[in-house]
Amino acid sequence: MRILLVEDDELLGEGTRKGLTQDGYTVDWVKDGTLADQALKTEKFDLVVLDLGLPKLPGITVLQNMRERGDTTPVLILTARESIEDRVLGLDSGADDYLTKPFDLHELLARLRALQRRFAGARAAPILVHGEISLDPASHVVLYKNEPINLSRREFALLHVLLENAGRVLSREHLTQSLYGWGEEVDSNALEVHVHNLRKRFGQDFIRTVRGIGYTIEKSKDQK
Ligand code: CA
């Protein structure tokens, strides 16, 4: 799950980024409205946590721009406690939920899970099946030969993106980007390590290396 966090307050932003990362999200954090607007135009996120009081471009404009483009990514807005008008305007502009500051991290995580469930339902058939592997993006459960297995969050994210794109070759850059947020330190062989671990679980042939480009998994027989 990739989240765009838009928050100009350093302390609050850092605390939120940490909490979300520890909970297994891949977090991209930007600190002004213009950068948020640009990021949303060029990248795909699963969720957006959007502060409304932002430098350069107000959060409400970022939200309105998204909805005008037809971008339906779930958005949770952060507002000041005293500002009822902000909350109303935010919800009227297409926000899916809101929290007032200061908020409890556990409440934020619970709200985001609720948003994910709502949207997973709306998207329908979110469970990915590939041979004897099944992955449920909403519950983060992976079954192999009908047994639940534990993957690290990066392994889960890698498996998820590979299954979603079975039959297509994914570049190393694309894969690395879907596993790590911007500005995160990434070891040059980090991707290889995750690929290696997944092969250990599911067999050497499960992920095929496409030399000079990246990786692919074969289209499953159950997939069209
Ligand atoms: Ca702010």
Side-chain angles (χ1 to χ4, degrees):
M1 280 281 159
R2 188 168 183 199
I3 290 198
L4 181 67
L5 170 64
V6 190
E7 173 58 71
D8 58 311
D9 184 292
E10 286 285 343
L11 222 57
L12 184 61
E14 183 54 32
T16 309
R17 189 193 63 75
K18 245 192 190 146
L20 291 171
T21 306
Q22 274 164 7
D23 206 54
Y25 293 100
T26 300
V27 183
D28 293 312
W29 174 21
V30 294
K31 300 171 191 174
D32 72 56
T34 306
L35 286 175
D37 203 50
Q38 281 167 5
L40 286 159
K41 275 183 203 155
T42 51
E43 304 281 332
K44 179 92 189 77
F45 299 94
D46 298 298
L47 290 167
V48 181
V49 175
L50 177 66
D51 181 30
L52 291 186
L54 290 171
K56 295 192 183 170
L57 195 66
I60 204 77
T61 310
V62 175
L63 175 61
Q64 285 164 347
N65 288 350
M66 277 178 80
R67 297 313 187 216
E68 267 166 35
R69 287 193 300 271
D71 183 343
T72 57
T73 308
V75 175
L76 182 147
I77 53 173
L78 303 175
T79 69
R81 192 168 291 281
E82 61 276 11
S83 176
I84 296 167
E85 296 83 6
D86 270 8
R87 249 170 281 164
V88 172
L89 182 60
L91 293 171
D92 279 346
S93 302
D96 300 282
D97 201 357
Y98 70 88
L99 268 182
T100 51
K101 295 188 199 179
F103 55 85
D104 183 86
L105 186 63
H106 292 102
E107 185 174 6
L108 175 64
L109 295 173
R111 298 284 188 103
L112 293 176
R113 279 195 296 275
L115 277 183
Q116 269 168 251
R117 277 197 300 274
R118 239 161 77 197
F119 279 79
R123 278 174 197 155
I127 295 177
L128 298 163
V129 178
H130 190 277
E132 294 185 289
I133 302 167
S134 92
L135 178 148
D136 184 349
S139 64
H140 267 227
V141 170
V142 175
L143 299 179
Y144 183 50
K145 301 185 175 175
N146 293 319
E147 295 286 334
I149 58 167
N150 281 321
L151 296 177
S152 75
R153 68 187 177 88
R154 309 265 201 226
E155 287 163 15
F156 180 91
L158 177 61
L159 182 63
H160 188 187
V161 66
L162 285 168
L163 290 179
E164 268 184 330
N165 294 285
R168 288 175 51 198
V169 177
L170 299 175
S171 70
R172 299 178 41 84
E173 293 71 35
H174 179 101
L175 289 170
T176 306
Q177 214 181 66
S178 45
L179 301 192
Y180 295 89
W182 299 323
E184 264 190 270
E185 288 276 333
V186 187
D187 267 5
S188 59
N189 66 343
L191 182 61
E192 278 69 26
V193 173
H194 300 310
V195 168
H196 172 80
N197 289 341
L198 288 184
R199 279 176 173 155
K200 252 181 14 202
R201 299 262 188 184
F202 305 119
Q204 284 303 311
D205 300 335
F206 174 59
I207 300 171
R208 193 159 61 82
T209 304
V210 182
R211 289 189 68 172
I213 304 174
Y215 296 97
T216 185
I217 61 174
E218 301 300 325
K219 224 174 200 174
S220 155
K221 289 171 198 81
D222 332 289
Q223 284 175 308
K224 297 212 177 71

